[in-house]
Amino acid sequence: MLVGGALLAYRIRFGTWHLQKDYVSLVVITTLFGLLIFGSSSLYRSWRGRGLGAELMHLGLCWLLICTGVLFYTTLIQMIGELSRLWLGAWFGLSLAGAASIRIVLRGCASWARARGMDLRTAVIVGGNPDAQRIVDTLHRNPWMGIKVVGWFATSADRCALHGIRPMGRVDRLAAFVEARHIDQVWIALPMREQDQIAYVLRQLDFSTADIKLLPDLFGLQLLNHSVEQIGGLPVLNLRSSPLDGPAHLVKATMDKVLASLILLMISPLMIAIAIGVKLSSPGPVFFRQLRHGLGGKPIEVWKFRSMRVHQEEDGKVTQARKNDSRVTPFGAFLRRTSLDELPQFINVLQGSMSIVGPRPHAIAHNEQYKTLVDRYMQRHRVKPGITGWAQVNGLRGETDTVEKMARRVEYDLYYMQNWSPWFDLRIILMTVFKGFVNKNAY
């Protein structure tokens, strides 16, 4: 696709298939670089059982890295001025579209074949727990994954029987069954404390070529973005980690800086008008700055247009704005209802202390109050706070005068963190534009 995209883009731009020498050398170097990037990533692993979106996202990130490398290389050797920028853009766009199309078509063909009983992998499950039941239900609902669970084996550590799947008796019969039926995969669904039983299952399968997958029973553990990685050649199970590490962090940071710059350019006249209105509404500064917790729980200074009269809070106390709050100026009430008081936070985004989308930053005093009252409250600080968020576009704004209101907001924040993607961010931004500015609870 890299070579084909280059040729097609050259044909479109110059009307010929015969590339000049400089273009040929760049295509060769880029192809070698692409082989290095693609080969060192996990792009060519089996994607069976994983969503198309995740595969295309991985492809896009690899492609972005290749584009960045090529632009850096051509700038370094002062070649960028000799190349057609239209050709460069068309080359990478066509190549990415072609690679994505191939994967979509192949996925469709594989799904069609698997739904008709071809290209299947057979599997058995050892042990019974709710997670294993969810696996069974998911595989039954999605035949395109091509994994057929033919039975399950009971153990003494089971927490429930599995439904919708044939019971094969005790685990003692596992090895003989796997060998006789040529089973491709064995899923071990046992509690982590049952090391002896897990070892017993592995010993039974010493002479089997079946893939063995561990589905540890993590019942009762509060997980966030759990995953598996290797450190020093040893497998490590992450029970809690930031959902925006690695390439995801780069993608979100780039989106934030680009969008914040464009938005600030567009709204600068509006911000000047609001600043004049704040100055005329009551004595005091235009901006209100407050310390709040940011990424990793570190204090950050969050900017807003001042909407209240200047007043002094008691030490360590932060009083939330209430309906008909006497401290709020009439112009400030308008700003709060329309969320225009939040616009200076785009400056925070450019500074790198905030993101456009993320959990809303709460006052430090509120964090100290709620972290012991709301389950997993401080986990929301594993990502940068945002100007808008999943909780806010779902109506969870304004005063949190009860623990239940705060718990509900935190629930939505954690859902966002578990399910983050660039498209989820864009969806929240669009929802904010169409229904997130004005809210009855914003006072």
Side-chain angles (χ1 to χ4, degrees), residues 13-307:
R13 174 66 180 86
F14 299 106
T16 178
W17 297 100
H18 301 292
L19 276 66
Q20 296 178 16
K21 183 178 178 180
D22 287 346
Y23 287 83
V24 171
S25 62
L26 182 60
V27 172
V28 171
I29 291 171
T30 303
T31 303
L32 294 174
F33 183 54
L35 289 172
L36 177 65
I37 296 298
F38 291 142
S40 60
S41 75
S42 55
L43 187 65
Y44 295 125
R45 66 181 172 185
S46 170
W47 287 88
R48 182 189 297 265
R50 292 174 61 89
L52 175 62
E55 182 177 358
L56 295 182
M57 177 69 178
H58 197 96
L59 175 67
L61 289 174
C62 290
W63 224 268
L64 178 63
L65 186 56
I66 293 172
C67 292
T68 304
V70 169
L71 292 176
F72 178 77
Y73 170 76
T74 53
T75 303
L76 188 65
I77 65 172
Q78 298 182 347
M79 183 184 181
I80 189 69
E82 302 173 9
L83 298 172
S84 166
R85 290 172 176 78
L86 180 61
W87 173 76
L88 276 173
W91 174 20
F92 286 113
L94 290 170
S95 298
L96 177 57
S101 299
I102 284 179
R103 287 177 175 265
I104 291 171
V105 170
L106 289 178
R107 274 241 181 186
C109 294
S111 299
W112 181 88
R114 290 165 185 167
R116 285 155 180 79
M118 296 177 280
D119 189 33
L120 295 181
R121 301 290 186 271
T122 54
V124 294
I125 294 180
V126 178
N129 60 50
D131 286 337
Q133 184 64 61
R134 280 193 287 273
I135 287 287
V136 172
D137 294 341
T138 299
L139 293 176
H140 284 169
R141 288 195 306 269
N142 299 280
W144 60 268
M145 294 182 180
I147 301 175
K148 180 181 180 181
V149 182
V150 297
W152 76 283
F153 291 85
T155 73
S156 58
D158 295 348
R159 288 201 289 116
C160 66
L162 301 185
H163 303 287
I165 180 176
R166 182 182 174 188
M168 308 307 298
R170 303 294 298 177
V171 70
D172 312 73
R173 304 176 53 194
L174 174 65
F177 183 85
V178 169
E179 182 178 357
R181 296 285 294 271
H182 302 288
I183 299 299
D184 297 307
Q185 299 178 359
V186 177
W187 295 59
I188 303 175
L190 290 171
M192 297 181 70
R193 65 179 179 273
E194 296 293 333
Q195 296 181 14
D196 291 341
Q197 288 218 50
I198 295 173
Y200 173 66
V201 172
L202 292 176
R203 284 196 302 271
Q204 282 201 70
L205 300 173
D206 274 346
F207 303 108
S208 172
T209 58
D211 295 334
I212 302 173
K213 302 179 185 295
L214 177 63
L215 183 66
D217 187 352
L218 302 175
F219 177 71
L221 298 183
Q222 296 173 336
L223 308 181
L224 182 64
N225 196 48
H226 48 287
S227 60
V228 178
E229 64 177 315
Q230 283 203 356
I231 298 179
L234 299 174
V236 177
L237 181 63
N238 294 317
L239 300 183
R240 284 183 187 168
S241 63
S242 171
L244 291 173
D245 284 336
H249 172 76
L250 176 63
V251 171
K252 187 168 176 64
T254 302
M255 285 179 58
D256 281 338
K257 294 295 175 65
V258 171
L259 289 176
S261 300
L262 294 175
I263 291 171
L264 279 172
L265 284 174
M266 290 189 293
I267 66 174
S268 54
L270 175 61
M271 291 184 66
I272 292 172
I274 293 174
I276 295 172
V278 171
K279 204 66 180 173
L280 295 175
S281 64
S282 67
V286 169
F287 296 112
F288 169 70
R289 307 180 186 186
Q290 186 180 51
L291 283 180
R292 303 195 174 188
H293 279 142
L295 178 65
K298 297 177 181 178
I300 61 171
E301 193 176 63
V302 174
W303 291 29
K304 298 176 71 172
F305 281 120
R306 181 174 59 83
S307 58

